[in-house]
Amino acid sequence: MNASDITKVQDYLTKTFGTKGLEVKARKQKDSSEVYIGEEFIGVVYVDEDEEGSYIFEMAILKEDL
């Protein structure tokens, strides 16, 4: 994901989740970015290969976190 993609996704997620502490960070893999709230890693956003301009947000909820 390029800087423009990251900004668009971060703005969308911030608005959707209603939090200003959310940050989308680039990773080595160019097709995805990591999502954090504060210092807490919460998931990964992938470029949707089937629909140009779309993204997939994946968040795992582990048993020990509940």
Side-chain angles (χ1 to χ4, degrees):
M1 294 175 62
N2 63 38
S4 175
D5 294 333
I6 290 171
T7 299
K8 286 189 288 189
V9 170
Q10 181 171 305
D11 290 347
Y12 172 79
L13 292 174
T14 297
K15 180 181 171 187
T16 299
F17 292 127
T19 182
K20 295 182 189 266
L22 188 139
E23 185 177 4
V24 179
K25 299 180 182 181
R27 8 177 0 197
K28 289 182 183 180
Q29 296 84 352
K30 299 296 181 192
D31 67 339
S32 59
S33 295
E34 296 179 343
V35 181
Y36 291 82
I37 295 179
E39 299 287 322
E40 185 74 24
F41 170 78
I42 63 164
V44 179
V45 175
Y46 297 94
V47 173
D48 187 341
E49 295 176 2
D50 296 330
E51 189 169 337
E52 187 176 334
S54 294
Y55 306 89
I56 299 167
F57 175 58
E58 185 175 280
M59 178 178 166
I61 301 171
L62 304 175
K63 179 180 175 181
E64 53 268 6
D65 292 335
L66 296 176

